[in-house]
Amino acid sequence: MDEIDASLDEIERWRKINAAYHADDLKFMRFLIPPGKRVLELGCGTGDLLAALEPSYGVGIDFGARTLTRARTRYPQLNFILGDAEDPATLGAIEGPFDYIVIADTIGMFEDIDATLRLIHQLCAPSTRIVISYYSHLWEPVLKAAEALSLRRRQPQYNFIATADFLNLMDLADFEVINGEHRQLLPLRLFGLGPFVNKFIAPLPGIRKLCLRTYLVGRPVKLFPDRKLSASVLIPCRNERGNIENAILRMPRFGSEQEILFVEGNSSDGTFEECERVRAAYQGQWDIKVLKQDGRGKGDAVRKGFAAATGDVLMILDADLTMPPEALPKYHAVIESGKADFVNGTRLVYPMEDEAMRPLNFIANRFFAYLFSYLVNTRLTDTLCGTKALLRRDYEVLVRERGYFGNFDPFGDFDLIFGAAKQNLKIIETPIHYKARTFGETQISRFRDGWLLLKMVWFAYRKLKAI
């Protein structure tokens, strides 16, 4: 540590030399961790990363006295603690919980990684995310050669660990990895070539495994077997008059409390009047709200319905009832127990009824499933399945941070999926038995909506990969 303290000026000189590398790293960390969060950094150095994250409450731990003196001078708004991040007494003296706990380039110096990760649990809430960044072990010979040729500052003893080993260590410490990204294939500016390669080429499948930087986002493994949450079931409906009462008749009872919200999309077949009739007919048996859309499209209906919902868990049920309402308790249980933060239905696991999905639609779904799984780093087989569930408090964060994506989604599915991915929520797919329609006709145009999906892929690539 004395060696690090004595070389602060040299460290800063090298940071200027490698400004492109450090700028890309800071930019991606700011993508992972939005401003205004409670952030703890283990091994904070002079506090540059912690300050760049603009936390509402920021705490940095380091055992370099001179290093922290400089950090406190630069960033008096942050809190810096002199101590060993692996010492239980140091962590025990900190007041948590935090929204994010950051371990940037220091985890390879820990003497007992999984034991230190276990200590961090005392500073975690169920929603806390741990962000670990490190050098890929594939780059070890390159970095060692750069040091030998005086092209890089000599580093303290550092253990290059493969990602598979990190996953194992986090599993041992009761953390699960929910997101993993690779960045910086060319960590130099090179007259603008480096930033271009790192933005558009480095994130591509296959190529990204060769990048210098790896970022893992994990969450504490914590289940709530006795937790009881209320539910709001949103049913967007347009020209679905014949399905409205069936939705109520087939709706199972679940959750500590339950409300149903019909959001009607200016139908031409009397759907709004049917919603009002059903609300009056089942008054006293069901808590039913009926809303009329101001705009158009399912996305507008979802935003209007969720804004009016009061349940702990927000759920979507398509009014065509091709997803059986009887399956909703399974979705609710996944959220209620803490197994996941976001549940997406999939129609492509179990055999489906004849004519439930046209062959061309099935092929397109498979194609887009691969693309969207890559974009959100989670296996998704059916992004357009209408049934989704998440906690209302997570949706409220999504709304506050929606400005990053903007109002881009006419479907309503991708606003939720991309927002959940940006928040680092754990996403799980739950299979359903997809049924054929019994009333009305599909409102999906395979060619028009297929083109919209292609535009959505490019949009997501720019927002989630080419950052």
Side-chain angles (χ1 to χ4, degrees), residues 345-362:
T346 174
R347 301 163 290 180
L348 305 179
V349 173
Y350 298 132
M352 59 182 69
E353 288 187 353
D354 293 340
E355 300 182 3
M357 184 180 295
R358 291 175 289 186
L360 190 59
N361 290 23
F362 182 85

Side-chain angles (χ1 to χ4, degrees), residues 5-230:
D5 268 349
S7 61
L8 285 177
D9 292 333
E10 183 190 357
I11 291 172
E12 300 216 345
R13 181 175 68 86
W14 278 102
R15 285 184 68 90
K16 291 178 182 178
I17 293 172
N18 297 304
Y21 159 78
H22 290 291
D24 189 283
D25 182 59
L26 282 180
K27 187 174 183 180
F28 191 68
M29 291 294 283
R30 284 171 58 87
F31 166 78
L32 291 175
I33 304 173
K37 304 296 184 180
R38 292 173 57 90
V39 182
L40 169 67
E41 184 181 4
L42 307 186
C44 63
T46 54
D48 296 327
L49 171 58
L50 186 61
L53 298 176
E54 301 179 31
S56 60
Y57 175 63
V59 178
I61 302 174
D62 205 285
F63 48 36
R66 288 185 57 207
T67 302
L68 288 191
T69 297
R70 185 168 296 192
R72 293 185 181 110
T73 301
R74 287 181 174 175
Y75 310 113
Q77 76 277 17
L78 302 177
N79 303 278
F80 295 102
I81 296 173
L82 180 64
D84 184 352
E86 295 191 82
D87 182 2
T90 301
L91 296 180
I94 298 173
E95 182 180 351
F98 291 88
D99 299 313
Y100 288 86
I101 297 176
V102 178
I103 308 175
D105 293 324
T106 54
I107 198 164
M109 302 177 190
F110 287 173
E111 293 183 4
D112 194 337
I113 294 175
D114 57 303
T116 303
L117 291 175
R118 279 195 292 271
L119 288 175
I120 291 174
H121 276 279
Q122 64 189 298
L123 300 170
C124 294
S127 59
T128 298
R129 295 297 180 261
I130 179 171
V131 179
I132 301 174
S133 62
Y134 55 95
Y135 299 112
S136 167
H137 71 290
L138 298 175
W139 280 68
E140 181 176 4
V142 177
L143 297 176
K144 294 292 186 185
E147 289 181 28
L149 295 171
S150 299
L151 299 175
R152 180 175 184 255
R153 184 180 67 85
R154 289 196 175 274
Q155 302 292 310
Q157 185 64 35
Y158 187 89
N159 185 18
F160 286 83
I161 302 174
T163 297
D165 295 321
F166 270 126
L167 298 178
N168 182 56
L169 289 167
M170 292 185 74
D171 188 40
L172 287 172
D174 291 325
F175 283 95
E176 60 179 336
V177 174
I178 54 177
N179 192 6
E181 279 288 1
H182 308 274
R183 302 286 299 178
Q184 300 215 45
L185 188 64
L186 190 58
L188 300 169
R189 191 166 296 281
L190 288 182
F191 308 102
L193 178 63
F196 175 83
V197 169
N198 292 331
K199 183 172 183 178
F200 294 106
I201 298 175
L204 293 175
I207 295 175
R208 60 182 177 164
K209 296 291 186 180
L210 303 176
C211 288
L212 169 63
R213 302 288 287 161
T214 301
Y215 301 83
L216 298 180
V217 181
R219 72 167 194 157
V221 176
K222 193 174 236 183
L223 298 181
F224 305 92
D226 300 319
R227 185 164 69 171
K228 301 298 180 187
L229 300 177
S230 58

